[in-house]
Amino acid sequence: MATDALRSQVAAKWQEAFTRLNHGEVGISGLITFSQAWNLATDFLRPKDIADKNKKQYNMNSVRAALDMVNRCRRLPALLETFLEDMRKNYHLVARDVMQHMEEYETTGDTTAISRLVYRLLEWYTAWSPLPDLGTTIFSAYTLNFQTHLFSILPGTFSRAFKALCASTLPPTDPEVEVDPATRTGQIWAAFETLGLLDRYESIIASVGYEHIEAHVLATCTGEWSKPMMEDLRTWMSDKIVSWMLLPYARGASNPEEAKAMLQGVGSRFDFHMNKTLCDLRTKEIFDIIIDFPDSVGALQDLRDCLQRVDQRAALVQSLRKAHRKRLLHPGADTKLILSQYVATIKCLRIIDPPGVLLFKVADPIRRYLRERPDTIRSIVANLVGDDDSGDSLVDENEPVQPLQQHDIEDYSDPNWEPEPVDAGPDFRANKPSDVISTLVSIYDSKDLFVKELQVLLAQRLLSITDEDTDKVEKERRNIEILKIRFGEAALQVCEVMLKDMTDSKRIDGHVQSQKPSIVHPTIISRHFWPSLESSDIIMPGQFQTLQEQYSKEFTIFKPDKKLRWLPHLGTIHLELQLEDRTIEADVAPLEAAFIELFSSKTIWTVDELIAGVGSVNRSAALNALLTWVDLGVLKEDTEGTFRLLEIAEEPSAGPSANHVRAAPSVPEMPPVTSVQQQQAEQMKVYWKFIEGMLTNLGTLPLDRIQSMLKYAPGYDRTIEQLAAFMEAARREGLVAGRDGMWRLNV
């Protein structure tokens, strides 16, 4: 029964299909008519070689009638399947043309070969496309299959060739370069869209625009720092790139507003890439931009604007720190140069990032390196008081003088208060003084080091003032008044005493001279308020000693409660030597004057006799002083170590003294005042006894424990970094041994 039912069902279906195909005609005449229509439709749709000149001609009315019959018989799906299979079998014809054009391009590198290939593919696509009468479904299926087969036969080198073709459609930088009219009018882009190449190679098309933008930015902006370039770049992009972008990205726009809406997304990406390219360029150039400041303000403004669009802050910090390590923070760089670059970095990064987060991250290695340099404080102080020979001031003349700024607890009630930036470090606020001098002073934990160095430098400058330079005292006084604003009056009281000593010394000397005129004009200072002066055992002989004693006697009469202690190795003496045939005038150091005074008693002296005649002096210093008189033609070295006074001038001749090389000028440029580092080293020797006692009684100790116990020692005010440096010096001398931060006596 089941078999009979199945037979009946199949017979019914067959009869229904036969009836539909036969159209109710007598016999099978309708079926024969359908067969003829099917053959005509499939033959018409079958893909043919477009290169064949003997093309078969069709009656389009008959073709449309045949297609209509196939449609009425509901056989269009079968017709589509047959058509697509025929297209697959004949696609080798398309592949043949693709290979020919690709071989031509690979041989010549000419993009017109690829352009011709695209138009050839468009011919194939148009020639094989079905009639629109068949409906959009069949046409969409054809397009999809044609593109699928096309992508399968394109060689791997086509993407590179396609990129070159897209690049050729860009506006030329050289107006004399000719552009293919088809690319200028957009015909090639229409072909791309028809063949599905726009969607297939969307990323390649975008990369063409990106690379063109990169090339233009690098060509126009590299080394151009004097003015902002971003506005010019956006104008160029509006004039050149947007018109090109309309072709691949806004082809279907019917009006400018619609085109603008279609370009909004891709335009934003292109603008972002332009910002990123310029940001990368300026990040790469940042060290040289800072060197060129303030002439490079335009580049800094560009970088500031780009960083608001592009998240490149970390890359900027890394680039600048790397450049500092390579080009700045090394032993070959002068401390003054490092300070100048640091100040320029401060000013530049405040333009780029006013809150100061970038400066905090970049400055930390510079600050640590400067802290380790022994002459950093002196260089800063010398620049503050105008004693820097380089002529480059760290402080802008237009910057107002203000007290040193230190960070206090944040006042959240301040209407101008702002929260910390999201990328700020935990110590960000504590290291963000606003003015340059406060930033430089904050390199160290205390401003006391600067005050002490200022005292040393002021002492050297005051002691080097001669009678002809009396106006310099007033200049130093003005400097101190300005520095009082920065450091406070209390910190500079010692400097006030030093300046007062200079005034009092002038007054005392005037009184002494009024009582008993003398050619001696000493500078009288208060020993307890001036920095330590290097001592010497020189004893001035002959008339110099007499002059000192006479002056001391008159001073004691005027100041009975005080006593003069002469520093005979300091100062300058103006001498007039009356020899038999000539008179020589010279300004010399006291040691040179003492030696020539000894020659007044006899004409020939050995170096050892001269040293004994003035007390105790270094032999090299003695030879240096004697060579001054040899150079002036007053003395002559007859034999090595023996000098003779030349009462009558002799012709210069080669002698033992010709072999001597003077190590330095006999008159020092600055008086030998003990530096801050030397003073600290001497003070740390006092605390060595405390450290030695700790390590003896308690054994091995960590550095922080030694620091905490030393705070109980009278007057101890060193930082743990200074203590660490002292312990390292002690280890080099073999006094202690250290390992893993633990210290013990070296037994």
Side-chain angles (χ1 to χ4, degrees), residues 636-648:
K636 180 179 180 181
E637 188 176 12
D638 291 331
T639 59
E640 186 171 358
T642 302
F643 291 83
R644 174 169 56 90
L645 178 66
L646 297 178
E647 286 285 356
I648 299 176

Side-chain angles (χ1 to χ4, degrees), residues 547-558:
L547 291 171
Q548 288 178 355
E549 291 173 354
Q550 291 174 353
Y551 197 96
S552 298
K553 182 179 179 181
E554 291 298 325
F555 176 82
T556 305
I557 295 173
F558 182 56

Side-chain angles (χ1 to χ4, degrees), residues 62-115:
S62 300
V63 170
R64 287 186 173 88
L67 292 174
D68 181 64
M69 176 170 287
V70 172
N71 184 28
R72 283 187 286 109
C73 295
R74 292 186 291 180
R75 299 303 295 167
L76 279 181
L79 180 64
L80 175 62
E81 183 177 352
T82 302
F83 167 60
L84 296 180
E85 178 63 18
D86 289 341
M87 184 175 66
R88 183 189 67 79
K89 292 178 180 178
N90 289 280
Y91 216 86
H92 64 89
L93 301 173
V94 180
R96 178 192 62 196
D97 278 355
V98 169
M99 295 306 297
Q100 289 177 354
H101 287 83
M102 287 303 301
E103 288 177 359
E104 179 185 353
Y105 171 76
E106 291 172 5
T107 302
T108 64
D110 187 1
T111 56
T112 57
I114 305 302
S115 178

Side-chain angles (χ1 to χ4, degrees), residues 23 55 57 99 209 246 271 405 421 423 444 683 690 730 745:
H23 291 285
K55 295 181 181 179
Q57 301 297 323
M99 295 306 297
L246 290 170
D271 183 75
Q405 300 181 14
D423 56 345
Y444 297 88
Q683 292 174 2
F690 291 91
L745 286 177

Side-chain angles (χ1 to χ4, degrees), residues 189-439:
W189 293 100
F192 290 163
E193 185 177 17
T194 301
L195 297 173
L197 298 177
L198 285 181
D199 294 334
R200 175 76 173 182
Y201 298 106
E202 181 181 5
S203 61
I204 291 179
I205 296 172
S207 70
V208 169
Y210 291 155
E211 291 176 8
H212 189 63
I213 290 173
E214 289 175 12
H216 180 76
V217 170
L218 294 177
T220 59
C221 300
T222 301
E224 294 292 334
W225 306 330
S226 59
K227 66 174 184 176
M229 302 296 293
M230 183 55 70
E231 193 64 32
D232 293 343
L233 289 176
R234 287 205 167 100
T235 301
W236 168 80
M237 189 169 181
S238 298
D239 295 342
K240 302 294 183 179
I241 300 300
V242 172
S243 59
W244 175 81
M245 291 167 57
L246 290 170
L247 300 175
Y249 297 110
R251 285 190 48 76
S254 58
N255 54 65
E257 289 74 16
E258 185 178 356
K260 183 178 180 180
M262 296 176 69
L263 290 178
Q264 185 174 3
V266 67
S268 178
R269 292 197 300 272
F270 274 50
D271 183 75
F272 176 86
H273 190 77
M274 184 171 64
N275 277 267
K276 185 178 184 304
T277 303
L278 183 59
C279 186
D280 290 341
L281 175 63
R282 294 297 184 238
T283 298
K284 182 180 179 181
E285 299 174 326
I286 185 62
F287 187 86
D288 296 305
I289 289 174
I290 293 174
I291 291 177
D292 202 45
F293 182 83
D295 295 334
S296 58
V297 172
L300 296 171
Q301 294 172 351
D302 277 340
L303 189 54
R304 177 194 60 199
D305 297 340
C306 290
L307 286 176
Q308 294 176 356
R309 182 81 193 276
V310 184
D311 186 16
Q312 294 282 92
R313 292 166 66 90
L316 176 64
V317 171
Q318 184 178 4
S319 174
L320 196 49
R321 291 180 68 153
K322 182 179 179 181
H324 283 158
R325 286 193 303 270
K326 181 178 180 180
R327 302 176 60 180
L328 189 67
L329 306 181
H330 56 79
D334 185 70
T335 300
K336 295 177 183 178
L337 174 64
I338 299 176
L339 285 170
S340 297
Q341 184 71 3
Y342 179 36
V343 170
T345 302
I346 294 172
K347 295 176 180 178
C348 292
L349 291 185
R350 282 180 180 169
I351 295 175
I352 299 173
D353 177 43
V357 177
L358 297 182
L359 175 61
F360 171 75
K361 295 180 178 180
V362 169
D364 184 58
I366 304 177
R367 294 166 64 86
R368 283 190 278 108
Y369 187 80
L370 285 172
R371 198 179 297 127
E372 296 172 357
R373 283 218 167 187
D375 58 339
T376 298
I377 297 177
R378 171 164 285 259
S379 298
I380 296 173
V381 172
N383 201 282
L384 285 177
V385 300
D387 198 40
D388 191 351
D389 297 332
S390 65
D392 298 328
S393 177
L394 299 177
V395 185
D396 189 352
E397 294 180 356
N398 299 323
E399 184 175 326
V401 180
Q402 53 186 333
L404 295 180
Q405 300 181 14
Q406 296 181 349
H407 174 62
D408 299 323
I409 298 176
E410 293 193 66
D411 182 10
Y412 297 103
S413 63
D414 182 2
N416 297 321
W417 178 88
E418 294 181 359
E420 296 180 0
V422 293
D423 56 345
D427 299 327
F428 167 63
R429 287 287 178 181
N431 289 274
K432 200 189 69 172
S434 60
D435 70 307
V436 172
I437 295 302
S438 297
T439 304

Side-chain angles (χ1 to χ4, degrees), residues 44-63:
F44 174 77
L45 291 176
R46 184 177 295 111
K48 302 173 181 61
D49 187 355
I50 60 176
D52 187 3
K53 299 185 180 299
N54 299 318
K55 295 181 181 179
K56 184 178 180 181
Q57 301 297 323
Y58 293 91
N59 186 323
M60 295 307 298
N61 291 330
S62 300
V63 170

